Structures are given as structure tokens and as C-alpha cells.
RNA sequence: GGGAGCAUAGCUCAGUUGGGAGAGCGCAUGCCUUACAAGCAUGAUGUCGUUGGUUCAAGUCCAUCUGUUCCCACCA
């Protein structure tokens, strides 16, 4: 009969995607006739494989882009990848280790050549995976953070910031990862709570008069102590200030001063703090204030350096143990206690961070932060939830200078050059001579830039900056930046201040922060736990549409989403429902019927007017929800409409008309009209199936992707039709309920007698007889002119606009009927009492909106009429 | 230490200007009704975490407590 398969099969997705690509539907170009709409993809790392988080974020962005594209915007979704400095370098180092090589052994150039090879081999993996899930990025514009153009942007930005004095080089305390052997920024430090030990020791005064005791969690840093500090107003120690104490760990001991600084908390511990400027941020500050010497005691690998005397060469842990032992031997160890405290660790490798003083490059943040903060406080930059804006503002308010140099090779090499004399020349183009002394023998800085430096420029570097391009003019600032909460300070903040700095404007107007996809128990998915879901496995089994629908449907965008397979099955089932609804329409077209699209809507049957009115309202709701970035709600509304209203009610209602050659064309017209609208509305969420079905339904159409988005039309609103059909649905539900309750066999046809409450209802029911018959599984519908004489074996049912009688003879137990009707009587009486209570409430009458009061009054009238009928039925039974 | 979120049906969750509690899954019952059993129909289940406050009206706003999750953080 039909060659369309009975079940939906997602295996054609690749083919559909290829066709879109081929036809260039994803491409966007400067077009003054259209308004621009742009989203810059958060570039995935080249080391990444598509995980469920990428898939979720991609789905969100793709919905927005596809909807806006259909709405007539020139919609650009800019794709690309990030070089992911440390992550990539670590991966490649691992790879070459298997060949017995080290990066130092290979040398910088050979190693980088190797990373580029690696990038070429694996860098496109993630891109292809994005395609697999239907992302409609403009792939012809794909960028990479280390491609030529972006490299130029990075150098330009560095040079300008340096020339303005915003980038400086200095010895500062930085976060040092002894495993990766590089500095990392504050944002990359994770604090992990763990059990630690607090050790209490004493130092003797140099004059031998007394001792002073203190506590530390890191005894090994005692090797770098250059002072002991107390609070200036602490009377207990007033006499000690200015005296010397002895750090005993060295052969001759080292004398260090007792200083007074208000940083010290008198209440905490003994009120004494040992000061190690080289290895603690606070101590560093105090060291600067008191001009204390800075003694670095640690090598880059975390072992004790030559300043550690007898401890030189030991690891951190070994040195700690030995110091405790030695202090104990000297009688200066007091006690140790277990405490909970947070340790800073590297977010990539989870190694404990060592604060070290190093010569590094920094970006001065104070001035850059101001306009970025202002952009938010002025309301220009918006977050989808205020609390995310607060996180943003809090970060900017507490910002410290950004350490931008990294001691790794993979990345943008810092464009600073040194001559023999040590002069620094910074230039985006490799200089031939020193800017200070003219020396020509120049050596470039070994360090590279933090990977986020180039990402910070992404919204404009991808559009051609520093060149003035028409793309920049047109698409910048972009519209939405979609990402997860933890990226706010890594990236969002930095894009904004760089955008303000170099473009004079925010990079995007809306920041959309979404939740995390977690496993079925609410746990974060992680490789080590092994609870991760591979999105490609989902695509393999159920298709990309089902994956996308699962991630979006019904989820509040800012809360975490639990992923479990039953949800995917539901999505798949919905795809199948949609598939079959369309298949049903197509089957009806197979006899050559030509649908008639009734332009004169008021002339259409009430069920058509109802579904058109309903679909019209849906368009408004969905459009509003998408504009508000509430995609879960938008999706759910479409799904509910298609399944509940369109399939379960409307399609059933028109079946009788489809069997009649005369009424069929018009019914087909409305079916196709409404279904096509649904497919358009759903297309951003499930692009593949909607394309397939839309083209099957609209033979002349080229694609649904570029079809105009449906628009809300106030003239199509038909509250009367909605009310009428609601009455009919209630009647049908009532009859079905009775059938089910009385266990009338499905095969048994029944007669439904309807006594309408007035002429208008009579007219309505008589129009709808054909489908009421089908929906109630009745053999006959009788429209009565008056209430029938009550009799045994008849069930009566009071609904809005009618009393319905079902002669079911022996199936009816009159006693049970009386109970049922009495229950109904009670319910209606309660409703009326409730409304009367409200209407008698002076406060309510005075302050509630008139609309609401009118609605309550109308309901009262309705309930009263129903109650009257129910009571009449009861009275009839008593007779 | 500071901040934020969440707590609604057995499970997972919607419920954004305060106006008579919802969905999916699961469960029960009956159906292969020629689009779909990946389906259809019918049904049962909630003191909307606690206590208080604002209001004519609170799942919704405010406060408190309890439980839970997350983020930030240099207290030795």
C-alpha cells in the first residue's frame, strides 16, 4: 500500500547532513538586507572527543541558530577549535614517551613539528563529531586558535597591551605545577579539601632568652623562612619584636627577625606566623612590606634546591619528614594535629600547586576590569540568570593580575626578544635589532601564552581582527555566548574585557549559562568513574534527533540534567509518533487527492478552526520561549501539542472526513497546514527528521532549514472554537470513562444520546456527530430535543453544554449510578461553595482583577446549571 | 570562612510577572480501533521539606530551620 516504513529510522541523518552542506545552507555572509545574528562556538580543545556536555551545548546553540535563520536573520554560527596548550602538550609528551623520547631530547622545533602532526591527525575528530549531531556551523569559516590569522591577532594584542604598559614582566609569586613544570593562572587552581596536618614548633631567640612557638602545615618551607611575625598590638609578644630568632635547620642556624604586621590574627593559634616570602602569597606580601629577603628553596620539579642546606635534593615530602624528625631531635617540635584544609591543585593534573617566586609575564587587570564590570552593571551585558551575573561581577571585583606566561612549548610564543645586555624588545614582527641598544643578536623569550589569551580574543579574532573587516562591522557584537558556569571566569570575563579593550564594545549581549549533564544518579560524569555516556553511542542507537530532544525537552536550562536511557527511548518514541502522523497524511494523498487549503478560515469546520487556533497560539509560545532562551519549555510545548492535540485528537476527528471524497481535500489541507507548521517549529530541535518529513509533505519545497518561521496571527485566534472543542472533548472523555468503568466490551457499539442545553450547543453537536461517533466508539448518536423519561439501565452524564444518556441496559446498576451522581452533586456543590466564598470576600472583590472575578462568576453559572441537571437526574431515579 | 542552587506523585523532573497542582517513566485495567503496540483508551497516587510572616489569595514573595549539591576562598 505504501512504501513508507512503519517505523522511524534515523540512519539517513548523515545523508541529510551531507545535502545541507553541499547546498551551503549553513553559510552566512554579510547581508545588509537582513539583521545579523551570531554565536561564536566555545572552541573545543583539539584533544577533546565529543562528550555529552559538548553535545548539550551544541544542541542549545544549534536551536537558536536554526530558529533565527528561519526567522530571517543572517545567522552565523562560527566554529573552530582551541590549541589547548597544556592539555595537548601533555598528550603529545605521553605519545612520544611510548617511543622512548622526551621533548627536551627532541628539541623545541622537532617537538612542535610533532604536535602539529598530532593536531592534523586528531584535531578534526571533534569537528566531525559536531557534524554528526547536526550542528549547522558555517564550516567554511572554521578557525583554529593557532592558525595564521588568530596568531596575528594574539601578537597584535600582546604588543599593544605591552606598549600601553598593561603587560609587564616581573618576579611574583605564581602557582607552579611541579608535574607540568609550568606556571598556571589563579583560575586554573582547584581547591580540594583534604585531611592535612598542622605541626607546632618553636624557634629559639638568638639571645637564648626564650622561645616562640608557631604552627605550619608545610614544615619544609621553614627552610625559606626570613621572619617570624606577630600582631603589632599583641602584648604577649611586644618584647620580642625586633629581636632575632634562629631557624635551626642549617649547620650554623639562620637568624631571622621577629616583625610586627597587622595581617597576623592574634586569636588564631599562638598568634605567631612564620614568614616564607618565596612560598606563600601572604608571606610574599608581608615580605614586600618589610623588605624581607626572598629565599626560594625549591627546584622546578618540587625538590629542595641548593638553598636547603642539608636537605638539598630531597622531595617535598622527604624534606618535610626529615625536618620534623630533626626538630624533634632538637626538642623544638611540640605536637602535630589533624586538620581539614584545602590544598590548591592543578585543574589538569591535580598535582598540588607550589607557590613559587618566578619571573613571569603578567597582564595588569585593574583598568581592564572596569569596563567589563561596567558592561554588566549598566545592564548591557545580560546573563540568563542574575546569579551568574553576580559570579561574573564578584570575579571582576576581586581580580588579580593575570599570569599569562607558560613554560611550555605548544602555544603562542611570547613576542619578546632579549639582547646580550638584557634589554627587552616586544614586537609582533620579529625585530632585527634591539629597540634599546641596536644589538642584532636577539633571543626570543622561551615562554608561551596561556591558552585562554587567544580564546579571549575569539569573538573578534575569528572575524578578521586586527583588520577592519566587513564581517566585524556586521556581526560584532554577537548575540549569545552559551557555556557552562565554570567557564565564566576562565573565558567569559576575559572575552569581555578584551572586547571592550580592542573593539570598544562587549563581544556578546547575552550570556547563556546552562547546567551540566549528569548521570542517572545525579553524579558528574567522569572518565575515572566510568559513568560517562558517549553521545555518539546514543546517535548510533537512536539518532542525533533523539539525543538532541532528550537533552532539551522539558529541562530548565540552568539546572543539571540527568541522563538515562529511558528518556532517549521516549524521544525515539516521539520521533516515531511524528513519523507515523506524517505517514498517515501521506497515505491519504496516495489516491491522488489534492489538498485544498481553505483560505477562508471562518468557513472551516469547528475542529479545523480549533486546531488552527491552537497551532497559532503554539507559534507564539514557542517563539517567545526560544527568544527567552527557555529551550526546554519551547520544546515541550511542541511535543505536547503534536502528540496530545494533533495526533490524539485532531487526527482522530478528521478521519471520517478523509473517508469521504468530497470532504477529504479540505481535511487534508488543514492536516498538512498544521503539520507543516509543527515541523517548522520543531526543526531547530530535531533537524533531521523534520527535514525528511517536511520534504515528503511539501513536494515543491527545497528544505525546511530555510523555510520561513511561522508567525503568530491574531486573526486566527478562535476562542469560541477552542471552547467548543473543549466541550466535545469533555463529553467524549466522559463517555469513554463510563465505558471503561462499566467494562463495556470495546467491540460493543453503543448508542449515545445527547441532550444539548441550548440551540447553540445543539448546532455544535450536530456538526460534530461524525467524529463524536468514532471517538466514543458508538454506533449511533441521537440528539434529543428534551430529556428522556428516566428508565432503568440508563447512565446519565452531565457535562458542559449537554446531558448525555447511555442506555447500557443490564450493565447498569442503578444503586451505583445513584452513588456516582451523588458524588458529582457533592463535587459541584463544593465548587459553588468555594466560588461563593470568594465572591463574598470583600478583600477579594476589592482587590482581585476584574477579569478573574468575571471568570469565577461565569464558572459559577456553569456549575449551577450542571448541578441543576444532576439533581434532576437524581430526582428522576428516586421515582 | 564567604556565596549560590535545589527540596513538588514510587522514580526523574516542569511549573519566570502570586489567582483552582502538571508531564514522562513506572503502576493498575482493557484494547493489535487499517498512521503508530516505539501505539490507543481509562484509572490510582501529592500536608508542593519545617515553622512563621506578607497578601483578598503563596508551590510561587520574605524570614527561619533541616537535608542536599555546587561555586568561590591565602587564615598560618
Amino acid at each position: 500500500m505504501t512504501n513508507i516504513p512503519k517505523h522511524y529510522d534515523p540512519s539517513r541523518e548523515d545523508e541529510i547532513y551531507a545535502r545541507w552542506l553541499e547546498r551551503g545552507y549553513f553559510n552566512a555572509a554579510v547581508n545588509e538586507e537582513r539583521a545579523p545574528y551570531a554565536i561564536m562556538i566555545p572552541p573545543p580543545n583539539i584533544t577533546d572527543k565529543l562528550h555529552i556536555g559538548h553535545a548539550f551545548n551544541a544542541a542549545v546553540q544549534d536551536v537558536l541558530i536554526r530558529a533565527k535563520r528561519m526567522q530571517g536573520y543572517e545567522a552565523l554560527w562560527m566554529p573552530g577549535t582551541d590549541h589547548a596548550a597544556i592539555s595537548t602538550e601533555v598528550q603529545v609528551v605521553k605519545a612520544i614517551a611510548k617511543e622512548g623520547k622526551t621533548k627536551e631530547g627532541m628539541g623545541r622545533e622537532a617537538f612542535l613539528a610533532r604536535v602539529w602532526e598530532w593536531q592534523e591527525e586528531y584535531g578534526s575528530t571533534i569537528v566531525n563529531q559536531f557534524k554528526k549531531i547536526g550542528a549547522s556551523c558555517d564550516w567554511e569559516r572554521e578557525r583554529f586558535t593557532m592558525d595564521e590569522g588568530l596568531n596575528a591577532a594574539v601578537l597584535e594584542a600582546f604588543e599593544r597591551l605591552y606598549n600601553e604598559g598593561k603587560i609587564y614582566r616581573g618576579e611574583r609569586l605564581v602557582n607552579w605545577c611541579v608535574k607540568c613544570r609550568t606556571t598556571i593562572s589563579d583560575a586554573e587552581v582547584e581547591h580540594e579539601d583534604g585531611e592535612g596536618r598542622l605541626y607546632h614548633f618553636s624557634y629559639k631567640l638568638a639571645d637564648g632568652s626564650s622561645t616562640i612557638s608557631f604552627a605550619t602545615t608545610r614544615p619544609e618551607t621553614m627552610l625559606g623562612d626570613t621572619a617570624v611575625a606577630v600582631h603589632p598590638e599583641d602584648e604577649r609578644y611586644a618584647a620580642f619584636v625586633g629581636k632575632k630568632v634562629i631557624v635551626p635547620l642549617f649547620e650554623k642556624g639562620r637568624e631571622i627577625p621577629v616583625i610586627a604586621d597587622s595581617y597576623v590574627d592574634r586569636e588564631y593559634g599562638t598568634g605567631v606566623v612564620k614568614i616564607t616570602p618565596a612560598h606563600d602569597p601572604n608571606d610574599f606580601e608581608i615580605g614586600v612590606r618589610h623588605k624581607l629577603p626572598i629565599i626560594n628553596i625549591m627546584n622546578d620539579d618540587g625538590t629542595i634546591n641548593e638553598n636547603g642546606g642539608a636537605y638539598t635534593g630531597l622531595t617535598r615530602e622527604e624534606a618535610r619528614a626529615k625536618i620534623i624528625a630533626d626538630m624533634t631531635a632538637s626538642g623544638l617540635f611540640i605536637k602535630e594535629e589533624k586538620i581539614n584544609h584545602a590544598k590548591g591543585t592543578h585543574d589538569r593534573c591535580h598535582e598540588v600547586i607550589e607557590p613559587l617566586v618566578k619571573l613571569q609575564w603578567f597582564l595588569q587587570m585593574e583598568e581592564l576590569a572596569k569596563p567589563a564590570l561596567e558592561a554588566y552593571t549598566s545592564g548591557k551585558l545580560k546573563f540568563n540568570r542574575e546569579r551568574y551575573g553576580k559570579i561574573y561581577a564578584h570575579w571582576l571585583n576581586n581580580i588579580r593580575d593575570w599570569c599569562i606566561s607558560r613554560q611550555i612549548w605548544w602555544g603562542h610564543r611570547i613576542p619578546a626578544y632579549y639582547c646580550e645586555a638584557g634589554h627587552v624588545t616586544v614586537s609582533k614582527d620579529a625585530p632585527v635589532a634591539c629597540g634599546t641598544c641596536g644589538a642584532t643578536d636577539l633571543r626570543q623569550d622561551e615562554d608561551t601564552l596561556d591558552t585562554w589569551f587567544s580564546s579571549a580574543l575569539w569573538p573578534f579574532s575569528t572575524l578578521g581582527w586586527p583588520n577592519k573587516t566587513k564581517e566585524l562591522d556586521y556581526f560584532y557584537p554577537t548575540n549569545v555566548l552559551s557555556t557552562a558556569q565554570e567557564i565564566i571566569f576562565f573565558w567569559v570575563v576575559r572575552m569581555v574585557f578584551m572586547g571592550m579593550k580592542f573593539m570598544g564594545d562587549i563581544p556578546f549581549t547575552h550570556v547563556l549559562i546552562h547546567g551540566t549533564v549528569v548521570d542517572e544518579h545525579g553524579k558528574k560524569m567522569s572518565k575515572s568513574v566510568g559513568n560517562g555516556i558517549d553521545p555518539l553511542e546514543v546517535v548510533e542507537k537512536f539518532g542525533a534527533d533523539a539525543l538532541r530532544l532528550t537533552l532539551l525537552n522539558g529541562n530548565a536550562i540552568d539546572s543539571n540534567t540527568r541522563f538515562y536511557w529511558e528518556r532517549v527511548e521516549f524521544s525515539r518514541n516521539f520521533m516515531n509518533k511524528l513519523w507515523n502522523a506524517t505517514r498517515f497524511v501521506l497515505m491519504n494523498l496516495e489516491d491522488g487527492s489534492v489538498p485544498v487549503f481553505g483560505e477562508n478560515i471562518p468557513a472551516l469546520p469547528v475542529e479545523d478552526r480549533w486546531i488552527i487556533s491552537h497551532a497559532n497560539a503554539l507559534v507564539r509560545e514557542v517563539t517567545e520561549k526560544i527568544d527567552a532562551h527557555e529551550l526546554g519549555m519551547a520544546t515541550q510545548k511542541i511535543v505536547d501539542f503534536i502528540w496530545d492535540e494533533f495526533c490524539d485528537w485532531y487526527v482522530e476527528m478528521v478521519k471520517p472526513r478523509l473517508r469521504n471524497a468530497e470532504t477529504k481535500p479540505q481535511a487534508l489541507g488543514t492536516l498538512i497546514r498544521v503539520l507543516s507548521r509543527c515541523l517548522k517549529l520543531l526543526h531547530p530541535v530535531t533537524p533531521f527528521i523534520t527535514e525528511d518529513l517536511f520534504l515528503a509533505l511539501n513536494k515543491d519545497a527545497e528544505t525546511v532549514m530555510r523555510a520561513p518561521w511561522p508567525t503568530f496571527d491574531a486573526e486566527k485566534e478562535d476562542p469560541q472554537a477552542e471552547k467548543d472543542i473543549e466541550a466535545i472533548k469533555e463529553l467524549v472523555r466522559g463517555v469513554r470513562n463510563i465505558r471503561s468503568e462499566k467494562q463495556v466490551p470495546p467491540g460493543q457499539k453503543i448508542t449515545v444520546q445527547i441532550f444539548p442545553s441550548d440551540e447553540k450547543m445543539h448546532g455544535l453537536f450536530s456538526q460534530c456527530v461524525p467524529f463524536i461517533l468514532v471517538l466514543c466508539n458508538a454506533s449511533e448518536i441521537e440528539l434529543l430535543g428534551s430529556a428522556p423519561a428516566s428508565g432503568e439501565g440508563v447512565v446519565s452524564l452531565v457535562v458542559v453544554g449537554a446531558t448525555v444518556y447511555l442506555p447500557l441496559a443490564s450493565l447498569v446498576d442503578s444503586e451505583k449510578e445513584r452513588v456516582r451522581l451523588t458524588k458529582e452533586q457533592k463535587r459541584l456543590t463544593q465548587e459553588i461553595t468555594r466560588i461563593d466564598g470568594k465572591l463574598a470576600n470583600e478583600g477579594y472583590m476589592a482587590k482581585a482583577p476584574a477579569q478573574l472575578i468575571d471568570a469565577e462568576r461565569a464558572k459559577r453559572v456553569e456549575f449551577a446549571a450542571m448541578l441543576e441537571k444532576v439533581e434532576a437526574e437524581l430526582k428522576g431515579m428516586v421515582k
Side-chain angles (χ1 to χ4, degrees), chain A residues 584-585 588-589 591 593 650-669 671:
Chain A
F584 174 73
V585 175
N588 274 287
L589 284 166
D591 61 4
S593 298
Y650 183 70
V651 168
E652 296 306 321
M653 286 175 181
V654 291
K655 275 181 179 171
R657 283 160 70 199
L658 291 171
R659 294 194 191 105
N660 179 328
E662 255 177 62
T663 51
K664 187 172 180 180
Q666 187 192 51
L668 270 177
L671 274 171

Side-chain angles (χ1 to χ4, degrees), chain A residues 426-448:
Chain A
V426 167
S427 169
K428 61 188 177 191
D429 308 307
V432 286
C434 171
T436 308
C437 67
T440 54
D441 188 14
L442 298 177
R443 173 177 61 75
Q444 186 173 3
D445 197 297
E446 294 291 325
D447 290 357
T448 50

Side-chain angles (χ1 to χ4, degrees), chain A residues 496-510:
Chain A
V496 178
F497 69 66
M498 288 294 201
M500 295 304 292
K501 174 70 195 164
F502 292 113
M503 294 296 298
D505 203 351
I506 49 176
F508 30 74
T509 53
H510 290 80

Side-chain angles (χ1 to χ4, degrees), chain A residues 141 173 251 359 371 402 412 424 645 752 786 807 814:
Chain A
R141 294 182 184 273
L173 199 80
E251 214 170 312
L359 186 59
W402 176 13
H412 302 93
V424 184
E645 306 297 345
V752 178
S786 61
S814 57

Side-chain angles (χ1 to χ4, degrees), chain A residues 159-178:
Chain A
E159 187 188 286
R160 284 204 209 169
L161 289 166
Y162 179 82
N163 288 340
E164 287 180 34
K166 295 245 173 2
I167 285 180
Y168 63 92
R169 195 168 181 236
E171 288 223 321
R172 294 284 183 286
L173 199 80
V174 293
N175 307 299
W176 182 262
C177 178
V178 299

Side-chain angles (χ1 to χ4, degrees), chain A residues 114-179:
Chain A
R114 184 60 190 269
V115 185
W116 277 108
E117 266 175 41
W118 191 93
Q119 191 269 337
E120 270 160 39
E121 193 175 343
Y122 297 103
S124 58
T125 305
I126 182 100
V127 171
N128 292 328
Q129 291 172 331
F130 267 86
K131 293 179 179 173
K132 196 86 187 156
I133 57 172
S136 65
C137 300
D138 185 350
W139 297 109
E140 287 177 16
R141 294 182 184 273
E142 185 186 340
R143 303 303 295 268
F144 175 54
T145 49
M146 276 175 67
D147 68 26
E148 209 176 311
L150 269 61
N151 193 44
V154 166
L155 297 179
E156 176 82 20
F158 189 97
E159 187 188 286
R160 284 204 209 169
L161 289 166
Y162 179 82
N163 288 340
E164 287 180 34
K166 295 245 173 2
I167 285 180
Y168 63 92
R169 195 168 181 236
E171 288 223 321
R172 294 284 183 286
L173 199 80
V174 293
N175 307 299
W176 182 262
C177 178
V178 299
K179 195 168 173 189

Side-chain angles (χ1 to χ4, degrees), chain A residues 22 141 290 336 360 460 466 496 592 690 711 719:
Chain A
E22 187 189 305
R141 294 182 184 273
H290 296 269
E336 67 175 74
Q360 299 289 336
F460 47 95
V496 178
T690 48
T711 48

